[in-house]
Amino acid sequence: MTTPTAPAERLHQVLERIRAAAAAAGREPPALLAVSKMQPTEAVAALAAAGQAAFGENYVQEGMAKRAALEATLPGLEWHLVGHLQSNKAAQAARTFDWVHSVDRPSVVTALARHRDPARPLNVLLQVNVEHEAGKSGCAPEAVEALAAQVAAEPALVLRGLMSIPVPHPDPEQRRPAFRRMKALFDGLAARYRTVDTLSMGMSDDFPVAIAEGATLVRIGTALFGPRPPRQSG
Ligand SMILES: *Cc1c(COP(=O)(O)O)cnc(C)c1O
């Protein structure tokens, strides 16, 4: 019988791998976002108890439920929406999350700004479909400029940077050119906006490559929590 690895141990291992990848590339270690989608609230609580404070969710409803369940016992956790945002969920997303990584069109910017209290501005990343993949979320690289200007003009939003999910590939090395293009886009944006400091890229199977190419935040699920349970109905 195998003993499942304790959450604290998995967290330690992932942080070690992040540090090693950053050291090898001569870069600062990026922040770690624990992607807890489809993981039970208890798994989030266990990782939070081990010291992890920032969590990412894909579904607005699921994020709201976990935040509400943990607020009393674990105050101060930071919640990020990393999944595609439907316009009809923007109001709830604006009230629930500290960050949204998946802003990719003008209507979502308008909706988030309308429902967010400007006294507590929402941190926004623009999701970029850097490889022009058909049918994928994310704005085209050519659209970043206009969308960034729209976010920057909203007092209820803070433009923090860019996010991408490269085309899945069994060999993470094949994603390097996409990460490199994201870094170039990010540097261009950071030169124009003082608030831009976050490049969100890299997941369980490719984060060392993303770190080498300049990620400042990696989004990791499976390597921290183990495989995701099947999605519950309802
Ligand atoms: C699920 C997900 C992740 C984490 O993926 P893992 O491969 O489990 O690390 C990161 N980012 C987004 C947008 C996701 O949907």
Side-chain angles (χ1 to χ4, degrees):
M1 208 181 110
T2 55
T3 315
T5 315
E9 178 63 17
R10 283 199 298 260
L11 177 60
H12 177 76
Q13 284 168 1
V14 167
L15 288 171
E16 249 336 293
R17 290 176 63 199
I18 288 172
R19 261 193 290 275
R27 294 188 184 273
E28 286 296 305
L32 170 61
L33 181 67
V35 178
S36 46
K37 64 173 179 225
M38 294 185 250
Q39 299 292 349
T41 301
E42 302 75 57
V44 176
L47 210 61
Q52 176 65 24
F55 292 89
E57 288 287 336
N58 276 49
Y59 306 99
V60 174
Q61 225 66 37
E62 190 179 335
M64 285 173 72
K66 284 181 190 163
R67 179 168 205 149
L70 293 170
E71 216 141 44
T73 46
L74 293 159
L77 297 185
E78 193 177 273
W79 294 92
H80 297 226
L81 181 68
V82 300
H84 175 72
L85 180 55
Q86 294 166 277
S87 296
N88 63 355
K89 298 278 170 60
Q92 283 173 327
R95 295 187 193 107
T96 300
F97 292 93
D98 303 296
W99 290 68
V100 176
H101 291 222
S102 48
V103 171
D104 64 357
R105 57 200 191 279
S107 60
V108 163
V109 175
T110 307
L112 287 172
R114 185 184 311 139
H115 297 284
R116 184 73 175 195
D117 178 1
R120 227 169 43 85
L122 178 68
N123 298 294
V124 164
L125 300 180
L126 306 180
Q127 183 177 350
V128 184
N129 182 358
V130 71
E131 293 152 294
H132 295 99
E133 218 186 331
K136 265 274 285 285
S137 300
C139 68
E142 299 72 33
V144 164
E145 187 68 60
L147 211 51
Q150 191 194 351
V151 172
E154 292 287 357
L157 308 178
V158 185
L159 179 68
R160 297 297 296 268
L162 302 176
M163 177 270 223
S164 82
I165 310 173
V167 178
H169 197 287
D171 175 10
E173 264 308 316
Q174 299 295 319
R175 298 187 180 184
R176 191 181 291 273
F179 290 142
R180 196 164 287 174
R181 280 201 291 280
M182 285 300 298
K183 169 71 165 142
L185 269 177
F186 171 75
D187 286 344
L189 203 62
R192 289 194 296 283
Y193 295 97
R194 286 173 40 207
T195 55
V196 167
D197 60 0
T198 303
L199 178 56
S200 164
M201 59 186 194
M203 317 202 305
S204 290
D205 60 357
D206 62 12
F207 70 86
V209 180
I211 291 171
E213 296 302 329
T216 73
L217 180 152
V218 290
R219 308 180 307 267
I220 299 186
T222 312
L224 282 170
F225 291 101
R228 282 180 277 279
R231 208 176 168 198
Q232 307 286 305
S233 57

